[in-house]
Amino acid sequence: MSTVDSRPAPAAAPPSRVERAAAGTADYLDQRTGIGGAVKEFARKIFPDHWSFLLGEIALYSFVVLLISGTFLTMFFVPSMTEVHYHGPWAAMDGVQMSEAFASTLRLSFEVRGGLLMRQIHHWAALIFMAAIVTHMMRVFFTGAFRKPRELNWLVGFTLMILGLLAGFSGYSLPDDVLSGNGLRIADGVARAIPILGSYISFALFGGEFPGTDLIPRLFTVHILLIPALILALIGLHLLMVVLHKHTQYPGSGRSDKNVVGYPLFPIYVAKAGGFFFVVFAVIALMAATMTINPVWNYGPFDPSIVGAGAQPDWYMLFLEGGLRLMPGQTEFVIGQYTLSLNILVPGVVIPGILFTAIALWPFIEAFATGDKREHHVLDRPRNVPFRTAFGVAFLTAFFVLILAGSNDLIATHFHLSINDITWTFRILLFVGPAIAFWITKRICLSLQRKDRELVLHGHETGRIVRFASGEYIEVHKPLDAHERWLRVQHEANRPLEIEPAEDSRGVRRKGFRVDALRQRLSRVFYEDRVEPVTPAELAAAHSHGAHDALPAAHDEHAGELTGASGGTRHLAADVENTEGTDSTDGPKHP
């Protein structure tokens, strides 16, 4: 026999002074800005949970560390090229003539408490910032996250990468040491190699003949004011577009272009993001405390007559250095009164311009080839887009060859090899390596697609051999479950475009045929080599084993599970979505 407690519930504790102050402040702001609705809507946004999405967060948190450490350094650095004589604790430089910029860098390193640590935190954070941006863009490229409606966001991310390169170059040029001076001398040479305008660009940049007296103050303004402001604005625009377009998600059962499967921003992702920032900051601080980077006191102040052996820029600028080292020197031509220096112009301007233009325009090139105007929120598996994946790997192969070529002197001295042989090897690899990488990657992608077909049609091998009364031996295969099968059949078969004939029935040439023909040829390059996903008819035929169906483990899980595939019918979504709750706007709250 149960009884009901009729005693009144205890009264709630009155709010504390802090709680009342917080509530009053929130109410004040909400009444004047309407921020409450925005916070409520933003806090309910669903974000998918995958480790690769943290790459963008690493870039963001590294930039925050850059701002914090850069603010500290700005208070002590003197952006001046005025010549002074150094007198300080670093005895090797005592009495040496140098610029105020280099002298203040030495003071930061040896006299300001925590100055050297902050310098190294700033430098390591810059390297990680660029590494995170590049790997984040690689993830976006290989998974097709740049497709409609995210083409403009891809351009924003590309611009952030270019600004990061400019920020890094302007930053490590500020100390005015031998290493950074050599880098500026290369930049001056590249600028002068531009036909007709080169000398004017160099004079405007350096305020006269190299090295001039105005460059460090100008770089300082660009580095601490102009570029950070642009990066902050673009980061805000980038995050705004992520919220407006919904977050992309990896393919899986229950996931479609109409939902997002993941966790809400508040409180789960807020807690994760806060903790992850301190993890990133801790790793950068640990690297700065234990690994020396850019010891300018070993290089000395900049002197145009000195070129240090084994001098390389930061990793993200090594590809330019490698291109300059690989280009043959006998490629100068005098046309009229102008010297055309192809040995500098081609690797320093033409090739980077072509590569960066291809990266920026890739979403539009692929959309032109496919003719696809739909929105895409579910990512591609790289194996299902062989040409794109192979092209990306070929591009990275060329990039790594150029990086290694930028260190050819160090490779020669460390491994006791001929620098001429190394240079010629890299020249050959620059053309042969990407082609081989493209072919191998494309073959691997197609092989993985065939493997997926085999698994869907026949299941996993179990090693269990069964003999029938007739004497026939077969291996019993373990069927795929609905989720695993969905992953392997959910993608759509991309095929070359079919276009209308060049002339109509009356023999009149059709308007726009040339553009359509170009699009068709491009689509053949993209999609002529492909493997079609399994269709329901193929699956039903593969699972009709006749007498073999008597085996209990060979067939009982197949009947009626696959309701469709991408070969012209609907997908497996109708069956799989029954296993999870979905939300038509932001999807289920848990994967």
Side-chain angles (χ1 to χ4, degrees):
M1 181 176 180
S2 61
T3 59
V4 178
D5 190 355
S6 59
R7 291 176 296 177
S16 64
R17 181 178 301 176
V18 175
E19 292 174 338
R20 289 196 302 270
T25 303
D27 183 65
Y28 180 89
L29 292 175
D30 185 39
Q31 291 185 23
R32 287 157 179 81
T33 63
I35 196 173
V39 171
K40 180 181 179 181
E41 181 64 25
F42 191 69
R44 292 175 59 247
K45 295 297 293 184
I46 302 299
F47 290 88
D49 193 29
H50 194 272
W51 66 266
S52 65
F53 296 137
L54 298 178
L55 295 171
E57 294 187 29
I58 293 174
L60 174 62
Y61 300 151
S62 300
F63 183 68
V64 173
V65 175
L66 283 170
L67 293 179
I68 297 172
S69 57
T71 302
F72 177 90
L73 297 177
T74 304
M75 298 178 182
F76 301 96
F77 180 74
V78 180
S80 172
M81 299 183 72
T82 303
E83 296 293 327
V84 297
H85 288 83
Y86 174 75
H87 297 285
W90 188 249
M93 293 286 175
D94 188 54
V96 175
Q97 186 175 359
M98 61 186 66
S99 66
E100 283 195 277
F102 188 78
S104 65
T105 303
L106 293 181
R107 285 195 296 271
L108 256 171
S109 302
F110 299 115
E111 299 179 52
V112 176
R113 189 180 299 275
L116 180 58
L117 178 63
M118 280 296 183
R119 275 194 63 230
Q120 301 204 145
I121 285 177
H122 193 73
H123 205 136
W124 280 117
L127 299 185
I128 293 177
F129 175 65
M130 285 305 305
I133 287 180
V134 171
T135 51
H136 178 64
M137 291 191 69
M138 288 168 54
R139 196 274 301 174
V140 172
F141 178 85
F142 285 114
T143 60
F146 53 79
R147 294 172 296 172
K148 183 181 178 180
R150 297 175 179 84
E151 301 97 332
L152 295 181
N153 214 8
W154 169 265
L155 292 178
V156 171
F158 170 79
T159 308
L160 281 171
M161 183 185 70
I162 299 300
L163 289 174
L165 294 176
L166 295 176
F169 179 76
S170 61
Y172 74 66
S173 300
L174 288 178
D176 199 28
D177 60 296
V178 168
L179 184 61
S180 64
N182 290 336
L184 288 172
R185 188 52 167 157
I186 293 174
D188 176 60
V190 171
R192 286 177 177 272
I194 299 175
I196 302 176
L197 300 177
S199 58
Y200 298 101
I201 295 175
S202 175
F203 268 63
L205 182 64
F206 294 95
E209 286 286 350
F210 177 86
T213 58
D214 300 330
L215 183 62
I216 297 300
R218 292 177 179 179
L219 286 179
F220 184 72
T221 303
V222 168
H223 183 70
I224 72 164
L225 182 62
L226 180 60
I227 295 180
L230 292 175
I231 290 178
L232 276 174
L234 289 179
I235 286 177
L237 180 61
H238 187 72
L239 295 178
L240 177 63
M241 287 187 176
V242 169
V243 174
L244 292 178
H245 295 153
K246 296 192 306 185
H247 206 295
T248 56
Q249 57 184 339
Y250 283 92
S253 56
R255 302 178 185 184
S256 69
D257 290 329
K258 298 181 180 180
N259 68 1
V260 178
V261 180
Y263 297 97
L265 178 68
F266 185 84
I268 296 176
Y269 262 97
V270 170
K272 282 188 174 183
F276 192 55
F277 166 76
F278 290 106
V279 170
V280 173
F281 183 82
V283 171
I284 295 175
L286 180 64
M287 294 173 66
T290 57
M291 293 182 281
T292 300
I293 187 170
N294 198 25
V296 295
W297 51 88
N298 289 337
Y299 308 143
F302 175 62
D303 185 341
S305 63
I306 298 175
V307 178
Q312 279 91 26
D314 287 338
W315 72 267
Y316 48 84
M317 299 297 291
L318 260 179
F319 74 99
L320 284 175
E321 178 81 9
L324 291 168
R325 294 189 183 193
L326 292 186
M327 187 70 183
Q330 298 79 19
T331 52
E332 286 191 354
F333 304 94
V334 178
I335 302 176
Q337 298 179 350
Y338 299 98
T339 300
L340 188 62
S341 301
L342 296 182
N343 56 330
I344 300 177
L345 183 66
V346 171
V349 179
V350 176
I351 292 179
I354 294 174
L355 294 180
F356 284 138
T357 301
I359 294 174
L361 298 181
W362 184 267
F364 307 97
I365 296 173
E366 186 167 314
F368 179 78
T370 60
D372 187 4
K373 298 181 180 180
R374 298 168 302 159
E375 290 192 3
H376 295 275
H377 303 289
V378 177
L379 300 173
D380 287 328
R381 300 177 77 199
R383 67 181 65 182
N384 294 331
V385 278
F387 180 84
R388 182 206 299 157
T389 303
F391 181 87
V393 173
F395 184 91
L396 291 176
T397 301
F399 181 74
F400 286 128
V401 169
L402 291 176
I403 285 180
L404 292 174
S407 305
N408 60 352
D409 53 346
L410 292 179
I411 296 175
T413 56
H414 281 67
F415 295 97
H416 307 287
L417 300 173
S418 168
I419 191 170
N420 292 325
D421 293 342
I422 294 172
T423 300
W424 273 105
T425 300
F426 285 138
R427 284 174 178 172
I428 297 172
L429 281 177
L430 184 60
F431 294 95
V432 177
I436 295 175
F438 180 91
W439 183 82
I440 292 176
T441 304
K442 192 172 183 180
R443 292 300 102 191
I444 290 175
C445 289
L446 294 173
S447 299
L448 289 173
Q449 289 187 58
R450 294 188 184 98
K451 180 63 175 178
D452 285 344
R453 281 184 58 88
E454 181 72 16
L455 286 174
V456 171
L457 292 174
H458 303 292
H460 295 285
E461 297 181 358
T462 63
R464 178 189 170 197
I465 307 299
V466 176
R467 179 186 179 186
F468 287 94
S470 62
E472 178 186 5
Y473 288 90
I474 68 167
E475 179 185 9
V476 179
H477 285 207
K478 178 183 177 182
L480 278 63
D481 60 37
H483 298 279
E484 187 177 3
R485 187 179 302 113
W486 162 258
L487 184 64
R488 287 171 167 79
V489 301
Q490 52 80 33
H491 65 283
E492 297 187 356
N494 294 310
R495 303 181 179 90
L497 295 176
E498 298 293 337
I499 63 174
E500 297 178 2
E503 298 178 352
D504 58 19
S505 58
R506 295 175 296 177
V508 179
R509 189 171 183 84
R510 182 170 59 87
K511 184 178 181 181
F513 171 75
R514 290 185 177 180
V515 176
D516 289 346
L518 175 61
R519 176 178 292 176
Q520 185 183 48
R521 288 194 295 269
L522 190 59
S523 68
R524 286 175 180 172
V525 172
F526 272 74
Y527 302 121
E528 191 164 18
D529 294 332
R530 66 189 186 279
V531 176
E532 297 285 346
V534 177
T535 64
E538 290 176 320
L539 186 66
H543 291 166
S544 298
H545 300 293
H548 300 173
D549 290 342
L551 297 175
H555 72 286
D556 55 358
E557 297 184 17
H558 290 302
E561 284 185 342
L562 186 66
T563 61
S566 57
T569 58
R570 68 189 183 93
H571 296 303
L572 189 61
D575 289 342
V576 179
E577 284 181 355
N578 291 332
T579 64
E580 301 188 51
T582 59
D583 181 15
S584 60
T585 56
D586 281 325
K589 300 300 185 286
H590 301 285

